[in-house]
Each structure stands twice: as structure tokens, then as C-alpha cells.
Amino acid sequence: MSDSSPTPPPASPDAASTNSEAELKKDQGNEHFKVERWADAVVCYNAAIELDPEKPAYYTNRAACHIKMENHGLAIADGTVALELEKTFAKAYYRRGSAYMALGKYKDALKDFKSLRQLKPTDRDALEKFKAAEREVKREAFEKAIRSDDANEVPITERLDPAQMAVESSYTGPQPSFPLTHSAVLAIAAHLKDQKTLHQKYAMQILIELHKQLKTLPSLVDVPIPQGTHINVCGDTHGQFYDLLNIFELFGYPSETNPYLFNGDFVDRGSFSLEVVLLLFTFKVLYPNHVHLTRGNHETLNMNRIYGFEGEVKAKYNTTMFELFTACFHCLPLAYCLGKMIYITHGGLFSRDDVMLDDIRKVDRFREPPDEGIMSEALWSDPQPMPGRAPSKRGVGLSFGPDVTANFLNRNGLKMVVRSHEVKDEGYEVEAGGKLCTIFSAPNYCDQMGNKGALLRFDHNGEYEVKQFTAVPHPNVRPMAYAGGMQSMFGF
């Protein structure tokens, strides 16, 4: 029986040339990807797509870069386009499902991994991804079923009485008493540096005391910078404890004359997150008016479950301690205003033009962040070079332009926005005509990015110096070592 379908016409020389050039750009992107130059790879894949927008593989290759760069919203969009071009393109389900998992959208991830399994029923990796998503969906359903709606339930910080805990005679570490002293905190830092665990009794006492402090603060805290003084502002530290200690060695430990503000994302990714956040919390207890801590998008339950902090705390302590950390995260302020001039928040600005500082002060932050609104946008948003607003490349929050920054500053009588949330090659980046600065303090992020770290030192006039630094060695524990089965999802 002959095939009566028409024979397609041969490709024109111009079309063949365009396809060849697109493949060349794709190959160049693949070479950049192999050596972890994600941004350069994206540029090449962009060029390939512009030349030939009908190839689903170009979109899934770009999606892989976006996942590495934590631009999960863009990865989801690329996976969706690839599936519109070819509904049975397995890599598109894989990439989009991985991006959904990274955002904690487990039901969406499960659908994609189910489709992937149908396309590749004997693929072991597809089965593992499906099982991981299925576990999370079942866990969420179980937790929803047992969650207490009793408003009178006693908070964990009030149920615990660490004073009654015994300290084993075998424990030889610090035994701090309260009120804390600077030397006691340095002893804790040295103990943690030696990869030893502070006894749970003392860790609990620190967290409970911190919780008492934090819950009295508004969601936006005003911090003066008296004449002749300064304040150091750091960005993400992401569990890089030995780099945190290096910051203190280079620029001074926190004190009443050397205050610090750490702008969120203390935990996850790096596998010394417990040490980072416990030391920062201890310094906050010691110097409540001179150490300031902003909540980041990784001081949230979903992110902690995916990126390692939950697993790390349970490995080094237990579930009770993780619940105690979560209670403290719920109390962290969303923003600070330094010297009535500098607005500091982890992520960025808002979907509305009329947000005033008082609106931020009044936000009910004592919870997990909602999907939208001031709290979510403060934790997740990013700047963009174009005016106006656009959907977030991350899939949460939004992208906001320099005009949005200028309007927010003008309406609130401020000079500058400082935010973190994004790795920068030099440890910082100034945008919006000098009105916005991103600061990032985790050098060689995840042991692979090769970036510098930086902090900003502000004086009483609101002027700042940039202090840069490079990564230092740390014990041989890989990033996301406590993330369970999630490492392979994101290339670790």
C-alpha cells in the first residue's frame, strides 16, 4: 500500500542556513552550561530560539539554566512553550516538574512527573522524581488533616522548659548563662567552627529568648544611625558558616560600636545553615539594638524542606528544634529603615504604587507567607532594568522597574532601596540610577558560582562603602547535603 501523503518540499537554502546557525548557538550554549556559565548559556539559547522558535529542545535547555539560576518562573514558562510545540517532549515535563518542586508546588510537579513516567515507563530517574513529588503531596495532605485549628493551643516557645534539661557529663562545650556576654558568644562561635554542636538546652534557651525579643517588633523596624557611627549591611549568607566567620574576622564582630544588619536567607543551600543562624540569633540576643535580622524567602517552611535546613536541624538536633526555629522565623521583621533614609528588605518592592512604610509596619507577618501581597512581594520580588512591572522570573512576587523604585522612594521620603536575594559576581550591584543596590554575602555561592561576597557600610549621612571578600575553605560537606532526595532535582 503506497503512502499517499504529500512529500514536503525541500528546505530552502536560507532556512537550512538559519537552522544550522540556530544549532550552532545551541551547541555554544551547551558548552557554557558544561562549565556552569549559566547566564552565558542563556544568551546563546536566546539566540537559537530567535533564529528557530519551533525547536522545543532550545526551550528545555534554557529552562535547565533557569533552574540553576533559581529563575523557576522562567523555567516553568519555557517548559510550557516546549510542550505546546511537542506534547510528548519528555524533557519539558522533567524541567517544568523540577521547577514546580523548587517552588513547593507539589501537585503541579506530580502531574508533570506522572506524564514523564507515562512517556518513559522504564526510566529510573523519572520514577524517583514521581515518588518524590508524590511523597510531598501526601505529606501536605496529612499535615492539613492533623493541623490544629485551636486558637488556644500553647505555642512551642511556651511549652518548652530548657531550664529543666540535664546536661550530660560527657558534654564539654560552652555552657552560657544569661544574660549573655560577648566572650560567651565567641566561645559558642569557636565551638561551632570545630563542627561541634551546642547542647540543645542552651540552643533552646537562645531561641526562646530571641522569640521574646522578635515578637515585640513591628514588621518594619526603624534603626537610627547616630552621627559618627556606622552600620554594616550583609546580604544572603545561605549556610556558609566559614564565610560568615570570615566576615567577622575582616570587618569586626558585632558589638555596640560595630552593628550589623543581615538581610535574610541565613539558611538553606549551604550545609552549615544551623551554625549560621544559631550564631546570628545568639548575637541578636546579646545585642538586640545592634544586630538586626530580616526575614528572607528561605526563612519559610517550604524552602527549608526543599533546600536542606529542615534535614540539617533534624540531623544535628531533632524535630522539636526545627519547630522552634520555624517559630522564630515567623517573628523576623520584613524590612528595616536605616536613619530614615535607607529602606532594606530581602526581595523587593510591590505590585501597588501606594504602599507606604506604615502599611509595611502593620503587616501580620507571624505566619508562613501568603501567595501574594506585601509580605510575599517583600520576600520574593526582583528589580528589572525596564520601566514598569512584569511577572516574576521566579514564579513568586514580581519584577519591578527603576520607575517603581523611584516612586516608592519619593512617596516615602527615602534615599535608597537595599535588597539581596540574587547572587552577583562582585557581591553587589547598583541599579536604578544609584537608587537601588543588591547586596549578596555568600562568596562562591554553593561552591560553584565563583562570585565575590560583599557588605555595605553605611554612615550617618546614608553614604556607603562597599567591602568585598572572597570565599574561604570549609570542611568537606557539599551544598544541600541534608536535602534528602532533592539534590538531584536541582543538579547537586
Side-chain angles (χ1 to χ4, degrees), residues 22 110 134 151 172 261 284 301 348 366 403 448 468:
L110 183 60
E134 188 176 49
T172 58
L261 188 154
K284 175 66 177 171
L301 200 51
F366 300 99
D403 56 328
Q448 63 181 219
Q468 293 173 291

Side-chain angles (χ1 to χ4, degrees), residues 53 56 59 62 75-86 92 96:
Y59 296 93
R62 188 169 69 179
I76 290 167
D78 275 343
T80 300
V81 172
L83 288 169
E84 289 169 353
L85 292 170
E86 186 178 329
R96 193 172 70 175

Side-chain angles (χ1 to χ4, degrees), residues 294-336:
T294 316
R295 190 175 186 179
N297 64 301
H298 278 269
E299 280 70 56
T300 57
L301 200 51
N302 258 347
M303 295 296 101
N304 294 165
R305 283 176 167 156
I306 295 167
Y307 291 100
F309 184 60
E310 179 182 37
E312 183 180 348
V313 176
K314 289 181 177 179
K316 295 175 180 178
Y317 285 113
N318 50 45
T319 298
T320 299
M321 282 294 289
F322 179 68
E323 291 176 2
L324 196 49
F325 274 110
T326 298
C328 290
F329 289 168
H330 285 175
C331 294
L332 289 167
L334 304 179
Y336 284 81

